[in-house]
mmCIF file of all heavy atoms in Angstrom:
data_model
loop_
_atom_site.group_PDB
_atom_site.id
_atom_site.type_symbol
_atom_site.label_atom_id
_atom_site.label_comp_id
_atom_site.label_asym_id
_atom_site.label_seq_id
_atom_site.Cartn_x
_atom_site.Cartn_y
_atom_site.Cartn_z
ATOM 1 N N ILE A 1 -30.382 15.305 49.093
ATOM 2 C CA ILE A 1 -30.274 16.311 48.022
ATOM 3 C C ILE A 1 -28.816 16.657 47.732
ATOM 4 O O ILE A 1 -28.402 16.745 46.579
ATOM 5 C CB ILE A 1 -31.061 17.589 48.427
ATOM 6 C CG1 ILE A 1 -32.562 17.282 48.530
ATOM 7 C CG2 ILE A 1 -30.830 18.727 47.434
ATOM 8 C CD1 ILE A 1 -33.352 18.307 49.334
ATOM 9 N N GLU A 2 -28.018 16.838 48.809
ATOM 10 C CA GLU A 2 -26.661 17.370 48.623
ATOM 11 C C GLU A 2 -25.586 16.313 48.427
ATOM 12 O O GLU A 2 -24.613 16.537 47.708
ATOM 13 C CB GLU A 2 -26.267 18.230 49.836
ATOM 14 C CG GLU A 2 -27.005 19.546 49.914
ATOM 15 C CD GLU A 2 -26.391 20.483 50.949
ATOM 16 O OE1 GLU A 2 -25.173 20.401 51.208
ATOM 17 O OE2 GLU A 2 -27.150 21.308 51.488
ATOM 18 N N THR A 3 -25.733 15.165 49.097
ATOM 19 C CA THR A 3 -24.625 14.192 49.118
ATOM 20 C C THR A 3 -25.086 12.779 48.751
ATOM 21 O O THR A 3 -24.425 11.805 49.123
ATOM 22 C CB THR A 3 -23.956 14.162 50.505
ATOM 23 O OG1 THR A 3 -24.940 13.737 51.470
ATOM 24 C CG2 THR A 3 -23.412 15.517 50.915
ATOM 25 N N PHE A 4 -26.215 12.664 48.048
ATOM 26 C CA PHE A 4 -26.758 11.346 47.688
ATOM 27 C C PHE A 4 -26.902 10.464 48.939
ATOM 28 O O PHE A 4 -26.579 9.281 48.920
ATOM 29 C CB PHE A 4 -25.885 10.657 46.638
ATOM 30 C CG PHE A 4 -25.816 11.408 45.329
ATOM 31 C CD1 PHE A 4 -24.680 12.113 44.968
ATOM 32 C CD2 PHE A 4 -26.906 11.438 44.468
ATOM 33 C CE1 PHE A 4 -24.624 12.817 43.769
ATOM 34 C CE2 PHE A 4 -26.856 12.138 43.270
ATOM 35 C CZ PHE A 4 -25.715 12.834 42.922
ATOM 36 N N GLY A 5 -27.393 11.072 50.029
ATOM 37 C CA GLY A 5 -27.636 10.317 51.261
ATOM 38 C C GLY A 5 -26.368 9.786 51.889
ATOM 39 O O GLY A 5 -26.301 8.623 52.276
ATOM 40 N N SER A 6 -25.345 10.654 51.988
ATOM 41 C CA SER A 6 -24.055 10.233 52.565
ATOM 42 C C SER A 6 -23.601 11.237 53.615
ATOM 43 O O SER A 6 -23.875 12.427 53.502
ATOM 44 C CB SER A 6 -22.973 10.158 51.480
ATOM 45 O OG SER A 6 -23.420 9.415 50.376
ATOM 46 N N THR A 7 -22.866 10.732 54.615
ATOM 47 C CA THR A 7 -22.271 11.623 55.606
ATOM 48 C C THR A 7 -20.911 11.071 56.009
ATOM 49 O O THR A 7 -20.407 10.126 55.391
ATOM 50 C CB THR A 7 -23.228 11.821 56.808
ATOM 51 O OG1 THR A 7 -22.779 12.924 57.585
ATOM 52 C CG2 THR A 7 -23.337 10.577 57.675
ATOM 53 N N CYS A 8 -20.309 11.662 57.041
ATOM 54 C CA CYS A 8 -18.953 11.289 57.460
ATOM 55 C C CYS A 8 -18.906 9.857 58.006
ATOM 56 O O CYS A 8 -19.935 9.212 58.167
ATOM 57 C CB CYS A 8 -18.469 12.262 58.526
ATOM 58 S SG CYS A 8 -19.469 12.220 60.036
ATOM 59 N N HIS A 9 -17.694 9.367 58.309
ATOM 60 C CA HIS A 9 -17.596 8.006 58.857
ATOM 61 C C HIS A 9 -16.801 7.945 60.156
ATOM 62 O O HIS A 9 -16.843 6.942 60.853
ATOM 63 C CB HIS A 9 -16.997 7.048 57.820
ATOM 64 C CG HIS A 9 -15.489 6.989 57.808
ATOM 65 N ND1 HIS A 9 -14.702 8.093 57.567
ATOM 66 C CD2 HIS A 9 -14.623 5.956 57.993
ATOM 67 C CE1 HIS A 9 -13.421 7.735 57.601
ATOM 68 N NE2 HIS A 9 -13.343 6.448 57.860
ATOM 69 N N GLY A 10 -16.039 8.970 60.468
ATOM 70 C CA GLY A 10 -15.224 8.924 61.682
ATOM 71 C C GLY A 10 -14.443 10.206 61.838
ATOM 72 O O GLY A 10 -14.858 11.256 61.353
ATOM 73 N N ALA A 11 -13.280 10.110 62.476
ATOM 74 C CA ALA A 11 -12.503 11.321 62.742
ATOM 75 C C ALA A 11 -11.649 11.722 61.534
ATOM 76 O O ALA A 11 -11.493 12.893 61.242
ATOM 77 C CB ALA A 11 -11.625 11.097 63.966
ATOM 78 N N GLY A 12 -11.094 10.754 60.827
ATOM 79 C CA GLY A 12 -10.219 11.079 59.686
ATOM 80 C C GLY A 12 -8.816 11.408 60.169
ATOM 81 O O GLY A 12 -8.637 12.189 61.096
ATOM 82 N N ARG A 13 -7.828 10.816 59.527
ATOM 83 C CA ARG A 13 -6.436 11.018 59.966
ATOM 84 C C ARG A 13 -5.976 12.446 59.744
ATOM 85 O O ARG A 13 -6.316 13.074 58.745
ATOM 86 C CB ARG A 13 -5.491 10.074 59.222
ATOM 87 C CG ARG A 13 -5.666 8.612 59.560
ATOM 88 C CD ARG A 13 -4.450 7.786 59.130
ATOM 89 N NE ARG A 13 -3.359 7.944 60.073
ATOM 90 C CZ ARG A 13 -3.224 7.221 61.199
ATOM 91 N NH1 ARG A 13 -4.116 6.309 61.501
ATOM 92 N NH2 ARG A 13 -2.207 7.418 61.999
ATOM 93 N N ALA A 14 -5.153 12.937 60.693
ATOM 94 C CA ALA A 14 -4.490 14.234 60.530
ATOM 95 C C ALA A 14 -2.987 14.030 60.337
ATOM 96 O O ALA A 14 -2.306 14.861 59.755
ATOM 97 C CB ALA A 14 -4.748 15.111 61.747
ATOM 98 N N LEU A 15 -2.459 12.899 60.860
ATOM 99 C CA LEU A 15 -1.043 12.545 60.680
ATOM 100 C C LEU A 15 -0.958 11.180 60.014
ATOM 101 O O LEU A 15 -1.778 10.306 60.294
ATOM 102 C CB LEU A 15 -0.329 12.435 62.039
ATOM 103 C CG LEU A 15 -0.195 13.662 62.928
ATOM 104 C CD1 LEU A 15 0.503 13.272 64.227
ATOM 105 C CD2 LEU A 15 0.590 14.756 62.230
ATOM 106 N N SER A 16 0.047 10.990 59.163
ATOM 107 C CA SER A 16 0.243 9.666 58.561
ATOM 108 C C SER A 16 0.668 8.695 59.664
ATOM 109 O O SER A 16 1.126 9.101 60.738
ATOM 110 C CB SER A 16 1.330 9.723 57.493
ATOM 111 O OG SER A 16 2.593 9.948 58.105
ATOM 112 N N ARG A 17 0.545 7.391 59.382
ATOM 113 C CA ARG A 17 0.941 6.385 60.376
ATOM 114 C C ARG A 17 2.425 6.524 60.723
ATOM 115 O O ARG A 17 2.818 6.425 61.888
ATOM 116 C CB ARG A 17 0.634 4.979 59.843
ATOM 117 C CG ARG A 17 -0.858 4.729 59.705
ATOM 118 C CD ARG A 17 -1.197 3.317 59.265
ATOM 119 N NE ARG A 17 -2.639 3.195 59.083
ATOM 120 C CZ ARG A 17 -3.519 3.016 60.067
ATOM 121 N NH1 ARG A 17 -3.087 2.928 61.309
ATOM 122 N NH2 ARG A 17 -4.800 2.916 59.821
ATOM 123 N N ALA A 18 3.258 6.753 59.700
ATOM 124 C CA ALA A 18 4.707 6.876 59.930
ATOM 125 C C ALA A 18 5.006 8.075 60.832
ATOM 126 O O ALA A 18 5.810 7.990 61.761
ATOM 127 C CB ALA A 18 5.431 7.010 58.598
ATOM 128 N N LYS A 19 4.328 9.193 60.560
ATOM 129 C CA LYS A 19 4.543 10.416 61.355
ATOM 130 C C LYS A 19 4.081 10.201 62.800
ATOM 131 O O LYS A 19 4.708 10.675 63.743
ATOM 132 C CB LYS A 19 3.779 11.577 60.715
ATOM 133 C CG LYS A 19 4.411 12.930 60.967
ATOM 134 C CD LYS A 19 3.811 13.989 60.053
ATOM 135 C CE LYS A 19 4.528 15.309 60.259
ATOM 136 N NZ LYS A 19 3.919 16.374 59.448
ATOM 137 N N SER A 20 2.958 9.478 62.958
ATOM 138 C CA SER A 20 2.458 9.187 64.311
ATOM 139 C C SER A 20 3.485 8.388 65.100
ATOM 140 O O SER A 20 3.725 8.657 66.270
ATOM 141 C CB SER A 20 1.149 8.390 64.232
ATOM 142 O OG SER A 20 0.159 9.118 63.571
ATOM 143 N N ARG A 21 4.100 7.410 64.424
ATOM 144 C CA ARG A 21 5.108 6.580 65.118
ATOM 145 C C ARG A 21 6.322 7.411 65.515
ATOM 146 O O ARG A 21 6.914 7.203 66.564
ATOM 147 C CB ARG A 21 5.532 5.394 64.236
ATOM 148 C CG ARG A 21 4.482 4.303 64.126
ATOM 149 C CD ARG A 21 5.068 3.021 63.531
ATOM 150 N NE ARG A 21 5.555 3.211 62.177
ATOM 151 C CZ ARG A 21 4.804 3.084 61.081
ATOM 152 N NH1 ARG A 21 3.528 2.773 61.189
ATOM 153 N NH2 ARG A 21 5.321 3.264 59.880
ATOM 154 N N ARG A 22 6.689 8.366 64.650
ATOM 155 C CA ARG A 22 7.857 9.213 64.946
ATOM 156 C C ARG A 22 7.569 10.192 66.090
ATOM 157 O O ARG A 22 8.425 10.477 66.903
ATOM 158 C CB ARG A 22 8.256 10.021 63.695
ATOM 159 C CG ARG A 22 8.994 9.216 62.646
ATOM 160 C CD ARG A 22 9.733 10.123 61.671
ATOM 161 N NE ARG A 22 8.862 11.069 60.996
ATOM 162 C CZ ARG A 22 8.203 10.804 59.869
ATOM 163 N NH1 ARG A 22 8.305 9.601 59.314
ATOM 164 N NH2 ARG A 22 7.438 11.718 59.295
ATOM 165 N N ASN A 23 6.338 10.737 66.109
ATOM 166 C CA ASN A 23 6.029 11.843 67.024
ATOM 167 C C ASN A 23 5.551 11.406 68.404
ATOM 168 O O ASN A 23 5.530 12.207 69.330
ATOM 169 C CB ASN A 23 4.925 12.741 66.416
ATOM 170 C CG ASN A 23 5.421 13.490 65.196
ATOM 171 O OD1 ASN A 23 6.531 13.254 64.747
ATOM 172 N ND2 ASN A 23 4.603 14.370 64.656
ATOM 173 N N LEU A 24 5.087 10.164 68.536
ATOM 174 C CA LEU A 24 4.418 9.769 69.776
ATOM 175 C C LEU A 24 5.114 8.581 70.434
ATOM 176 O O LEU A 24 5.777 7.799 69.775
ATOM 177 C CB LEU A 24 2.948 9.394 69.478
ATOM 178 C CG LEU A 24 2.092 10.489 68.826
ATOM 179 C CD1 LEU A 24 0.800 9.892 68.292
ATOM 180 C CD2 LEU A 24 1.777 11.603 69.811
ATOM 181 N N ASP A 25 4.938 8.486 71.735
ATOM 182 C CA ASP A 25 5.462 7.354 72.484
ATOM 183 C C ASP A 25 4.288 6.524 72.989
ATOM 184 O O ASP A 25 3.375 7.056 73.621
ATOM 185 C CB ASP A 25 6.297 7.865 73.661
ATOM 186 C CG ASP A 25 6.973 6.715 74.402
ATOM 187 O OD1 ASP A 25 6.239 5.889 74.975
ATOM 188 O OD2 ASP A 25 8.214 6.647 74.384
ATOM 189 N N TYR A 26 4.314 5.218 72.719
ATOM 190 C CA TYR A 26 3.135 4.403 73.049
ATOM 191 C C TYR A 26 2.853 4.347 74.547
ATOM 192 O O TYR A 26 1.708 4.241 74.974
ATOM 193 C CB TYR A 26 3.243 2.997 72.439
ATOM 194 C CG TYR A 26 4.171 2.036 73.128
ATOM 195 C CD1 TYR A 26 3.705 1.191 74.130
ATOM 196 C CD2 TYR A 26 5.511 1.941 72.760
ATOM 197 C CE1 TYR A 26 4.546 0.285 74.758
ATOM 198 C CE2 TYR A 26 6.357 1.044 73.377
ATOM 199 C CZ TYR A 26 5.880 0.221 74.380
ATOM 200 O OH TYR A 26 6.706 -0.669 74.997
ATOM 201 N N THR A 27 3.918 4.465 75.386
ATOM 202 C CA THR A 27 3.681 4.424 76.840
ATOM 203 C C THR A 27 2.880 5.656 77.290
ATOM 204 O O THR A 27 2.031 5.564 78.176
ATOM 205 C CB THR A 27 5.012 4.339 77.614
ATOM 206 O OG1 THR A 27 5.859 5.403 77.175
ATOM 207 C CG2 THR A 27 5.700 3.003 77.384
ATOM 208 N N ASP A 28 3.150 6.804 76.646
ATOM 209 C CA ASP A 28 2.384 8.023 76.967
ATOM 210 C C ASP A 28 0.917 7.856 76.582
ATOM 211 O O ASP A 28 0.015 8.261 77.319
ATOM 212 C CB ASP A 28 2.948 9.246 76.206
ATOM 213 C CG ASP A 28 4.340 9.620 76.666
ATOM 214 O OD1 ASP A 28 4.723 9.176 77.768
ATOM 215 O OD2 ASP A 28 5.042 10.342 75.929
ATOM 216 N N VAL A 29 0.692 7.262 75.401
ATOM 217 C CA VAL A 29 -0.681 7.073 74.912
ATOM 218 C C VAL A 29 -1.448 6.160 75.868
ATOM 219 O O VAL A 29 -2.585 6.448 76.262
ATOM 220 C CB VAL A 29 -0.687 6.480 73.477
ATOM 221 C CG1 VAL A 29 -2.116 6.228 73.006
ATOM 222 C CG2 VAL A 29 0.028 7.416 72.498
ATOM 223 N N LEU A 30 -0.812 5.064 76.281
ATOM 224 C CA LEU A 30 -1.468 4.120 77.194
ATOM 225 C C LEU A 30 -1.739 4.775 78.553
ATOM 226 O O LEU A 30 -2.790 4.552 79.163
ATOM 227 C CB LEU A 30 -0.611 2.861 77.364
ATOM 228 C CG LEU A 30 -0.462 1.977 76.121
ATOM 229 C CD1 LEU A 30 0.523 0.849 76.370
ATOM 230 C CD2 LEU A 30 -1.802 1.398 75.683
ATOM 231 N N ALA A 31 -0.802 5.610 79.010
ATOM 232 C CA ALA A 31 -0.983 6.300 80.298
ATOM 233 C C ALA A 31 -2.166 7.266 80.239
ATOM 234 O O ALA A 31 -2.948 7.375 81.191
ATOM 235 C CB ALA A 31 0.300 7.042 80.674
ATOM 236 N N GLN A 32 -2.291 7.964 79.103
ATOM 237 C CA GLN A 32 -3.420 8.904 78.924
ATOM 238 C C GLN A 32 -4.758 8.171 78.987
ATOM 239 O O GLN A 32 -5.706 8.646 79.606
ATOM 240 C CB GLN A 32 -3.322 9.615 77.570
ATOM 241 C CG GLN A 32 -2.346 10.778 77.546
ATOM 242 C CD GLN A 32 -2.140 11.296 76.127
ATOM 243 O OE1 GLN A 32 -2.949 11.045 75.243
ATOM 244 N NE2 GLN A 32 -1.057 12.006 75.910
ATOM 245 N N LEU A 33 -4.826 7.004 78.350
ATOM 246 C CA LEU A 33 -6.065 6.225 78.366
ATOM 247 C C LEU A 33 -6.400 5.779 79.789
ATOM 248 O O LEU A 33 -7.544 5.837 80.217
ATOM 249 C CB LEU A 33 -5.946 5.004 77.448
ATOM 250 C CG LEU A 33 -5.890 5.294 75.948
ATOM 251 C CD1 LEU A 33 -5.563 4.032 75.170
ATOM 252 C CD2 LEU A 33 -7.195 5.870 75.450
ATOM 253 N N GLN A 34 -5.365 5.375 80.518
ATOM 254 C CA GLN A 34 -5.570 4.940 81.898
ATOM 255 C C GLN A 34 -6.101 6.096 82.753
ATOM 256 O O GLN A 34 -7.009 5.917 83.573
ATOM 257 C CB GLN A 34 -4.240 4.427 82.467
ATOM 258 C CG GLN A 34 -4.426 3.470 83.633
ATOM 259 C CD GLN A 34 -3.104 2.810 84.011
ATOM 260 O OE1 GLN A 34 -2.054 3.137 83.468
ATOM 261 N NE2 GLN A 34 -3.159 1.885 84.943
ATOM 262 N N GLN A 35 -5.536 7.296 82.523
ATOM 263 C CA GLN A 35 -5.981 8.486 83.260
ATOM 264 C C GLN A 35 -7.463 8.780 83.016
ATOM 265 O O GLN A 35 -8.171 9.239 83.899
ATOM 266 C CB GLN A 35 -5.166 9.714 82.823
ATOM 267 C CG GLN A 35 -3.924 9.914 83.663
ATOM 268 C CD GLN A 35 -3.165 11.154 83.180
ATOM 269 O OE1 GLN A 35 -3.287 11.575 82.039
ATOM 270 N NE2 GLN A 35 -2.375 11.740 84.067
ATOM 271 N N LYS A 36 -7.923 8.505 81.785
ATOM 272 C CA LYS A 36 -9.332 8.741 81.447
ATOM 273 C C LYS A 36 -10.237 7.622 81.941
ATOM 274 O O LYS A 36 -11.440 7.634 81.692
ATOM 275 C CB LYS A 36 -9.491 8.859 79.918
ATOM 276 C CG LYS A 36 -8.891 10.118 79.324
ATOM 277 C CD LYS A 36 -9.086 10.099 77.803
ATOM 278 C CE LYS A 36 -8.495 11.322 77.142
ATOM 279 N NZ LYS A 36 -8.548 11.227 75.678
ATOM 280 N N GLY A 37 -9.638 6.611 82.591
ATOM 281 C CA GLY A 37 -10.438 5.505 83.105
ATOM 282 C C GLY A 37 -10.856 4.516 82.028
ATOM 283 O O GLY A 37 -11.860 3.825 82.151
ATOM 284 N N ILE A 38 -10.065 4.459 80.935
ATOM 285 C CA ILE A 38 -10.389 3.551 79.830
ATOM 286 C C ILE A 38 -9.490 2.317 79.907
ATOM 287 O O ILE A 38 -8.261 2.426 79.840
ATOM 288 C CB ILE A 38 -10.209 4.259 78.465
ATOM 289 C CG1 ILE A 38 -11.124 5.480 78.375
ATOM 290 C CG2 ILE A 38 -10.476 3.297 77.312
ATOM 291 C CD1 ILE A 38 -10.838 6.391 77.193
ATOM 292 N N SER A 39 -10.085 1.153 80.070
ATOM 293 C CA SER A 39 -9.324 -0.100 80.051
ATOM 294 C C SER A 39 -8.958 -0.396 78.606
ATOM 295 O O SER A 39 -9.764 -0.188 77.701
ATOM 296 C CB SER A 39 -10.171 -1.249 80.582
ATOM 297 O OG SER A 39 -10.600 -0.967 81.887
ATOM 298 N N ILE A 40 -7.745 -0.882 78.389
ATOM 299 C CA ILE A 40 -7.343 -1.193 77.011
ATOM 300 C C ILE A 40 -6.643 -2.547 76.961
ATOM 301 O O ILE A 40 -5.896 -2.904 77.867
ATOM 302 C CB ILE A 40 -6.446 -0.079 76.409
ATOM 303 C CG1 ILE A 40 -6.055 -0.431 74.961
ATOM 304 C CG2 ILE A 40 -5.209 0.190 77.249
ATOM 305 C CD1 ILE A 40 -5.634 0.717 74.117
ATOM 306 N N ARG A 41 -6.932 -3.287 75.893
ATOM 307 C CA ARG A 41 -6.229 -4.539 75.603
ATOM 308 C C ARG A 41 -5.782 -4.449 74.145
ATOM 309 O O ARG A 41 -6.611 -4.252 73.252
ATOM 310 C CB ARG A 41 -7.156 -5.756 75.774
ATOM 311 C CG ARG A 41 -7.684 -5.949 77.185
ATOM 312 C CD ARG A 41 -6.578 -6.390 78.149
ATOM 313 N NE ARG A 41 -7.079 -6.698 79.473
ATOM 314 C CZ ARG A 41 -7.366 -5.794 80.409
ATOM 315 N NH1 ARG A 41 -7.223 -4.508 80.160
ATOM 316 N NH2 ARG A 41 -7.800 -6.176 81.604
ATOM 317 N N VAL A 42 -4.470 -4.545 73.931
ATOM 318 C CA VAL A 42 -3.945 -4.456 72.565
ATOM 319 C C VAL A 42 -3.002 -5.612 72.288
ATOM 320 O O VAL A 42 -2.257 -6.040 73.167
ATOM 321 C CB VAL A 42 -3.184 -3.127 72.296
ATOM 322 C CG1 VAL A 42 -4.123 -1.972 72.088
ATOM 323 C CG2 VAL A 42 -2.191 -2.820 73.398
ATOM 324 N N ALA A 43 -3.033 -6.093 71.038
ATOM 325 C CA ALA A 43 -2.132 -7.179 70.645
ATOM 326 C C ALA A 43 -0.715 -6.640 70.470
ATOM 327 O O ALA A 43 0.259 -7.307 70.780
ATOM 328 C CB ALA A 43 -2.625 -7.806 69.344
ATOM 329 N N SER A 44 -0.587 -5.408 69.953
ATOM 330 C CA SER A 44 0.729 -4.809 69.718
ATOM 331 C C SER A 44 0.741 -3.388 70.265
ATOM 332 O O SER A 44 0.221 -2.472 69.616
ATOM 333 C CB SER A 44 1.026 -4.800 68.212
ATOM 334 O OG SER A 44 2.151 -4.004 67.945
ATOM 335 N N PRO A 45 1.316 -3.165 71.457
ATOM 336 C CA PRO A 45 1.279 -1.830 72.057
ATOM 337 C C PRO A 45 1.849 -0.732 71.154
ATOM 338 O O PRO A 45 1.381 0.393 71.164
ATOM 339 C CB PRO A 45 2.124 -1.984 73.325
ATOM 340 C CG PRO A 45 2.093 -3.440 73.635
ATOM 341 C CD PRO A 45 1.979 -4.141 72.325
ATOM 342 N N LYS A 46 2.858 -1.085 70.325
ATOM 343 C CA LYS A 46 3.486 -0.049 69.499
ATOM 344 C C LYS A 46 2.553 0.467 68.411
ATOM 345 O O LYS A 46 2.680 1.588 67.948
ATOM 346 C CB LYS A 46 4.799 -0.557 68.912
ATOM 347 C CG LYS A 46 5.823 -0.785 70.027
ATOM 348 C CD LYS A 46 7.226 -0.985 69.542
ATOM 349 C CE LYS A 46 8.146 -1.115 70.758
ATOM 350 N NZ LYS A 46 9.528 -1.342 70.396
ATOM 351 N N LEU A 47 1.581 -0.371 67.986
ATOM 352 C CA LEU A 47 0.606 0.091 66.983
ATOM 353 C C LEU A 47 -0.308 1.165 67.558
ATOM 354 O O LEU A 47 -0.968 1.900 66.819
ATOM 355 C CB LEU A 47 -0.243 -1.079 66.476
ATOM 356 C CG LEU A 47 0.388 -1.989 65.425
ATOM 357 C CD1 LEU A 47 -0.577 -3.093 65.052
ATOM 358 C CD2 LEU A 47 0.778 -1.217 64.173
#
């Protein structure tokens, strides 16, 4: 009725990609994932 049978798709960005690169360090991000017990494999760590 309200949205023609539609809902959200994910989290949605709060920071632009450029801002994310400026504000964050990829080693910190990878360390946080490791702390949560999440294995990660990435082609480009900086992405």
Side-chain angles (χ1 to χ4, degrees):
I1 295 161
E2 289 192 29
T3 62
F4 297 106
S6 310
T7 194
C8 63
H9 87 301
R13 292 197 78 85
L15 296 178
S16 69
R17 293 184 183 280
K19 209 167 184 183
S20 299
R21 287 194 298 272
R22 283 198 303 273
N23 292 6
L24 302 166
D25 185 296
Y26 76 91
T27 53
D28 293 342
V29 177
L30 293 174
Q32 280 171 19
L33 291 171
Q34 203 170 5
Q35 270 180 336
K36 290 179 181 174
I38 300 169
S39 302
I40 181 159
R41 298 290 185 280
V42 283
S44 169
K46 293 193 177 179
L47 281 179

